[in-house]
Amino acid sequence: MLRQEVNELLTQTGPDAAMGKMFRQYWIPALLAEELPEDDCPPVRVKLLSERLIAFRDSDGKYGLMDEFCAHRGVSLWFGRNEEGGLRCPYHGWKYDTNGQCIEVPSEPADSGFCEKIKLQAYPLVKIGDILWTYMGPKESQPPYPEFEFATVPSEQTFSSKRFQECNWLQAMEGGIDSSHVSFLHSGSLNTDPLFKGARGNQYNIADKMPFFEVVKHEGGLYVGARRNAEDGKYYWRITPWVMPCFTMVPPRGDHPIHGHFWIPIDDESCWAWSFDYHPTRALSDVEMEALEAGKGVHCEYVPGTYIPKANKTNDYLIDRQAQKEGRTYSGVEGIAIQDSSLQESMGPIVDRTKENLVSTDNGVIMARQMLRKAVTALRDKGVTPPGVDPAHHRTRSVSVVLPPEQAFEDVCKQDLEAAPGKPHTSV
Amino acid sequence: MLRQEVNELLTQTGPDAAMGKMFRQYWIPALLAEELPEDDCPPVRVKLLSERLIAFRDSDGKYGLMDEFCAHRGVSLWFGRNEEGGLRCPYHGWKYDTNGQCIEVPSEPADSGFCEKIKLQAYPLVKIGDILWTYMGPKESQPPYPEFEFATVPSEQTFSSKRFQECNWLQAMEGGIDSSHVSFLHSGSLNTDPLFKGARGNQYNIADKMPFFEVVKHEGGLYVGARRNAEDGKYYWRITPWVMPCFTMVPPRGDHPIHGHFWIPIDDESCWAWSFDYHPTRALSDVEMEALEAGKGVHCEYVPGTYIPKANKTNDYLIDRQAQKEGRTYSGVEGIAIQDSSLQESMGPIVDRTKENLVSTDNGVIMARQMLRKAVTALRDKGVTPPGVDPAHHRTRSVSVVLPPEQAFEDVCKQDLEAAPGKPHTSV
Amino acid sequence: MLRQEVNELLTQTGPDAAMGKMFRQYWIPALLAEELPEDDCPPVRVKLLSERLIAFRDSDGKYGLMDEFCAHRGVSLWFGRNEEGGLRCPYHGWKYDTNGQCIEVPSEPADSGFCEKIKLQAYPLVKIGDILWTYMGPKESQPPYPEFEFATVPSEQTFSSKRFQECNWLQAMEGGIDSSHVSFLHSGSLNTDPLFKGARGNQYNIADKMPFFEVVKHEGGLYVGARRNAEDGKYYWRITPWVMPCFTMVPPRGDHPIHGHFWIPIDDESCWAWSFDYHPTRALSDVEMEALEAGKGVHCEYVPGTYIPKANKTNDYLIDRQAQKEGRTYSGVEGIAIQDSSLQESMGPIVDRTKENLVSTDNGVIMARQMLRKAVTALRDKGVTPPGVDPAHHRTRSVSVVLPPEQAFEDVCKQDLEAAPGKPHTSV
């Protein structure tokens, strides 16, 4: 349970909000690289952290992300002509480069100096992996580029997607670090989804619905360990790293690719749920790629031409009560991603955390909130750089492992929880 | 005309509003029994008096009506699994019985006592007639079950429906006790609708557009008497009982079934218009049932899969100007129910009663408002139980009758205005 | 750039706003005459200056424009029966004439005097040209009828249309007096649109993208002169008259009809963009009429049965990026009207003028704002009748002309800028 002011502190991410300022300390995913597929392609409207922006790729392949609206009279640059090294407003021909700098005002003499004074707010936009990342904070505190393993492995080993989610980022993220709901909500999919099925660990997941949680801090966030019973008195551990503010990796299953997420605020009542699958040591197989592109695993199918899930609030997520009754899906909703989004969106745009009743399996959620709260106030009050900014914090991995009861995961798995190029991951 | 504060007093029905508290003194229709057709069927979202609730029917046929949202983290229980004596949240498996009592929290030890402490706000839900009724007020003032005649006759004698109406309950209800608009708005339907046509009284209705109103109080509400000229100096009386806060019965026509209504607030800008037809002494005929199910009389056709009328605001109620011009329908809108809702919705979500100009035929409306206002303040200020709570007040009937001029309806019709099992109704 | 309070002063046009009061000093276009095509035809809902009104044409061909809602209980008179000299509310039969006077209350005795006391707010509605005009201000300051030339020439010489625009009137109007955007936004259409192409002036328009602006006041508004280079050191002048508060005429091209616009507030976040084409000395040709009716020139195609453009915000104005890339259209949007509305709507419902950066080519816009501001405060503070009310101010024309450099347009073109029946217009 949170007091209302704490709920607001953690959920509001506009330019003036404390959490908004904290989000602006990080590199965050802004677009899929596929959204700007070639030089001089159409610009793309992007809303992030409540700011309306335009993304484009100029004639030289440079990426730009800047205010959506022309500095002249406020026309949306989405209608702009992307040509010859800049994006040109179609109203009076003002032109901007990828830094937001105005480089042409046709009505004014070139030597008037007017053009040089016009500059749109712009943010860096860089391609790392399949994703275009931005940093929306003050120039002086811009950190080095992100180093999440999924984004740095060779491209044939990784796949990313995003989907629109109609709720605040925090309740989506809380679902991501809450390993206990897998035994319920996703139970129907563990043995059927091509990107989940067949792993030995699935059986422990389904058999033990009362996991014990052990949550351990690391420099960039938390390791949320969920312990279930395995055979012979041993424990099946699933360890979910959470890196501040909104990165998680789901513990792996057998030799399947590892998946994970970001939840990036669009505004305070919607977010982009980013999902990736990668394999640390091999290319994704054709079968895997086909499944990923078909929206299996943690990905989804879309309304054509959009990143809006096909199963969404307007159609009650295509719930199938017969499938629910027969247990083919636990909630009647198909697909792991939509199972999550349907419930998270059902809580309302921003869930009222003054009314909740948390239990021991919510320890990961509770500690993440505490860590967020501490970091957001330390930044606000003392200018302290929050955990997760340093790329060293990104180099982590999720783990699933069976251990004898006397072993603590944080000791035994120390190495396994670190990303390392070419090193196989630890997965049961 | 009402002052704005009185308009607000009478129209606002949320949990904290005075009228909201008064509505919570009564049993009110919550769902049609057909919405929960069998044990363990899908739960149904219900919004009543601005509260978001979930209704379900458990494995033993018990009905439950409780908070829509799980006490754990706020997921909508509409996604729940209705199984083995309770409704189970699909996120982490918390389970509730029909009293809102949590009966299982899988992650917590059974002997922890945690589960017992979790209880959702719940209201009783009982089937009387074709309707599931609820009482949303304090336990200590819960009255006996309702005894409206239409709900207590054998099931083959009665038929109920509901439809969504996009305006405040009060302006819909005011239309229901306003017998004078029949001569205009519904005039085209009196001689064509299978559930209206052929009665001798219809001709008086159409011929005399200047009814005289005589409104008489009874313990539970009002008798609104509308007097029109009949032959030989006699009067045709139509007497509409209104039982607080929102029950009415339309005066009968010949041997047709009698119909009536409730208007139950969903929130302050929409309501459920409930409609019923019943015959006190015989089963409804096949012809009548066919007409009722086809949406004739005071019922309507729906957008498939919903209780939203097919002819609604989004399609201008399928108005047919040619039919209006030719007088086949008076307003161009087809069907008595939609003729009413189209005009009542056109007033806006909550009509501004500071601007109206009332006349003598509005006497029923005026007196009903006074009685509501008096009751709502007496409850608020002195805790007085309002009229209409006592089931004795429900046992009333509408009447249509031709009387000589010297006879007062309230004297002559005293018996006719009382519901009595097996007694034929008084109808012209 | 405007301060926020000035932006509000100029953009808010409800009944209590200062600019709303100024708009209520003028005759303004309310409907196309085609919307009320015959006596006793269906009434039409009209929202103007934030007031919800109903327009109708009675049995004698008289036009009425009055409050949408019946004085009795607030039903929308859109559902009314238009018959026998008045519009009758279908709820209880109250009837109104075109002056808003109630002429029948069926429930009340005819000699009660009640009916005479009921009068809806009503405004005059008169047909001049193809348009029904209204005046929504105080009776005592009602000016003579408008005398814009397009509305007073014989009907075969003129064509009018209107379209819904989803933004404040002012940013639409500012586009209309901003002659400089033609060289960019509309450049693709000048040589292809049947109502634009072939004029000698088009080439100057396209060749010189840096027009010099000379703006001259006249009694009713401004002449916005845009000077571009022609051959032999001469200048090509395009002179756009602006008559307060929102009338403009686009400078003509060759022998094409002259076109122009009004932008009339529906409310503060939407307006009617009115467009006309007329020829001062001849009937419009069949080819021209066909083009006009097909939505060419400054007109548009519609969503069937509405005045909403087919290409609109919901479908991203059917933007064609390939056509943009190839320069067939400059912004990718087809049609001059929609090229304008797409950009103006993209600025948001009311553009934030505190953020703009104006340049020399915005001089017309700047001076129009100053003139509006001066007039609105003079009316508010001292009751001064604003420019443009006097019909003499309406008798103006746009001009396009090539002049030697030493000649000032305001001297040479004095006569050409005046409307005069039968006199050919000055056009290059």
Side-chain angles (χ1 to χ4, degrees), chain B residues 64-314:
Chain B
L65 182 67
M66 61 190 186
D67 272 5
E68 182 184 337
F69 302 100
C70 181
H72 179 206
R73 295 240 299 269
V75 159
S76 170
L77 293 168
W78 182 79
F79 293 92
R81 297 179 61 86
N82 190 8
E83 58 187 12
E84 294 165 8
L87 185 62
R88 191 187 285 282
C89 178
Y91 212 5
H92 302 87
W94 293 29
K95 190 171 178 180
Y96 302 89
D97 70 14
T98 54
N99 299 314
Q101 178 61 53
C102 186
I103 53 175
E104 201 182 326
V105 174
S107 70
E108 301 304 295
D111 58 1
S112 68
F114 177 81
C115 179
E116 288 73 10
K117 284 181 287 188
I118 302 294
K119 191 174 186 310
L120 294 175
Q121 175 68 56
Y123 304 114
L125 189 67
V126 300
K127 181 174 183 303
I128 299 171
D130 297 333
I131 292 177
L132 303 181
W133 305 72
T134 190
Y135 166 81
M136 293 170 63
K139 208 73 200 162
E140 62 274 15
S141 48
Q142 181 174 319
Y145 291 149
E147 297 190 19
F148 300 98
E149 190 176 30
F150 83 94
T152 54
V153 293
S155 67
E156 63 274 18
Q157 294 175 220
T158 190
F159 176 89
S160 296
S161 74
K162 71 175 191 179
R163 63 177 167 77
F164 179 71
Q165 185 160 337
E166 287 188 72
C167 69
N168 185 266
W169 76 281
L170 185 60
Q171 71 212 55
M173 190 277 274
E174 289 176 350
I177 58 173
D178 159 24
S179 187
S180 68
H181 75 272
V182 177
S183 309
F184 300 91
L185 184 61
H186 304 316
S187 56
S189 302
L190 290 185
N191 289 327
T192 56
D193 189 283
L195 295 158
F196 280 71
K197 68 181 178 187
R200 187 178 128 212
N202 292 354
Q203 304 322 310
Y204 310 131
N205 243 168
I206 290 169
D208 185 351
K209 293 187 189 313
M210 237 177 92
F212 174 82
F213 273 70
E214 190 169 312
V215 186
V216 177
K217 279 200 184 183
H218 65 82
E219 288 206 330
L222 298 171
Y223 294 123
V224 181
R227 193 189 75 194
R228 287 177 175 83
N229 294 320
E231 55 283 286
D232 306 330
K234 290 193 195 146
Y235 288 139
Y236 171 62
W237 283 95
R238 295 179 60 72
I239 309 160
T240 303
W242 170 65
V243 179
M244 290 253 295
C246 63
F247 172 79
T248 68
M249 285 177 68
V250 179
R253 299 179 187 278
D255 189 50
H256 285 305
I258 317 175
H259 46 256
H261 305 279
F262 290 89
W263 293 272
I264 303 297
I266 296 171
D267 50 33
D268 293 343
E269 304 201 341
S270 63
C271 63
W272 287 116
W274 286 85
S275 301
F276 59 82
D277 266 82
Y278 79 107
H279 200 290
T281 58
R282 65 162 172 80
L284 301 176
S285 71
D286 289 353
V287 169
E288 284 165 349
M289 279 305 296
E290 202 175 307
L292 291 163
E293 282 168 353
K296 301 297 180 189
V298 294
H299 309 274
C300 74
E301 290 182 77
Y302 300 103
V303 174
T306 76
Y307 292 100
I308 298 169
K310 194 176 89 176
N312 59 48
K313 196 177 170 181
T314 66

Side-chain angles (χ1 to χ4, degrees), chain A residues 174-175 178 180-181 184-185 209-210 316-317 319 321 324-325 329-331 333 342-344 346-347 351 355-362 365, chain B residues 39-43 45 52 69 71-76 78-83 88-94 105-109 114 118:
Chain A
E174 289 176 351
D178 159 24
S180 67
H181 74 271
F184 300 91
L185 183 60
K209 292 188 188 315
M210 238 178 91
D316 273 331
Y317 310 92
I319 196 168
R321 294 287 185 184
Q324 183 191 44
K325 186 67 89 185
T329 55
Y330 193 76
S331 71
V333 170
S342 59
L343 298 194
Q344 290 157 5
S346 85
M347 298 167 170
V351 69
K355 290 187 175 163
E356 63 191 4
N357 289 280
L358 300 184
V359 288
S360 57
T361 50
D362 295 309
V365 170
Chain B
D39 297 351
D40 285 339
C41 62
R45 286 176 287 225
R52 290 180 64 177
F69 302 100
H72 179 206
R73 295 240 299 269
V75 159
S76 170
W78 182 79
F79 293 92
R81 297 179 61 86
N82 190 8
E83 58 187 12
R88 191 187 285 282
C89 178
Y91 212 5
H92 302 87
W94 293 29
V105 174
S107 70
E108 301 304 295
F114 177 81
I118 302 294

Side-chain angles (χ1 to χ4, degrees), chain A residues 40 72-73 78 81 92 106, chain C residues 178 210 321 325 330 362:
Chain A
D40 286 338
H72 179 207
R73 295 241 299 269
W78 182 79
R81 297 179 62 83
H92 303 87
Chain C
D178 159 24
M210 236 177 92
R321 294 286 185 184
K325 188 66 88 184
Y330 193 76
D362 294 309

Side-chain angles (χ1 to χ4, degrees), chain A residues 320-399:
Chain A
D320 177 344
R321 294 287 185 184
Q322 194 57 33
Q324 183 191 44
K325 186 67 89 185
E326 295 168 8
R328 280 181 282 130
T329 55
Y330 193 76
S331 71
V333 170
E334 182 72 32
I336 287 162
I338 307 305
Q339 285 159 8
D340 281 329
S341 66
S342 59
L343 298 194
Q344 290 157 5
E345 292 180 4
S346 85
M347 298 167 170
I350 304 178
V351 69
D352 182 353
R353 291 184 177 77
T354 67
K355 290 187 175 163
E356 63 191 4
N357 289 280
L358 300 184
V359 288
S360 57
T361 50
D362 295 309
N363 271 349
V365 170
I366 293 167
M367 286 183 65
R369 290 179 189 175
Q370 285 170 345
M371 205 162 168
L372 283 169
R373 188 178 167 188
K374 197 173 148 191
V376 80
T377 50
L379 172 65
R380 182 191 61 195
D381 300 340
K382 300 178 199 155
V384 179
T385 299
V389 166
D390 184 343
H393 302 168
H394 305 170
R395 295 192 294 265
T396 184
R397 274 186 192 170
S398 56
V399 163

Side-chain angles (χ1 to χ4, degrees), chain A residues 40 42-43 45 69 71-76 78-82 88 90-94 106-108 114 118, chain C residues 175 178 180-181 184-185 210 316-317 319 321 324-325 330 343-344 346-347 351 356-362:
Chain A
D40 286 338
R45 286 176 286 225
F69 302 100
H72 179 207
R73 295 241 299 269
V75 159
S76 171
W78 182 79
F79 293 92
R81 297 179 62 83
N82 190 8
R88 190 186 287 281
Y91 212 6
H92 303 87
W94 293 29
S107 70
E108 301 303 293
F114 177 81
I118 302 294
Chain C
D178 159 24
S180 68
H181 75 271
F184 300 91
L185 184 60
M210 236 177 92
D316 274 333
Y317 310 92
I319 196 168
R321 294 286 185 184
Q324 182 190 44
K325 188 66 88 184
Y330 193 76
L343 299 194
Q344 291 156 5
S346 84
M347 298 167 171
V351 68
E356 64 191 5
N357 289 279
L358 299 184
V359 289
S360 57
T361 50
D362 294 309

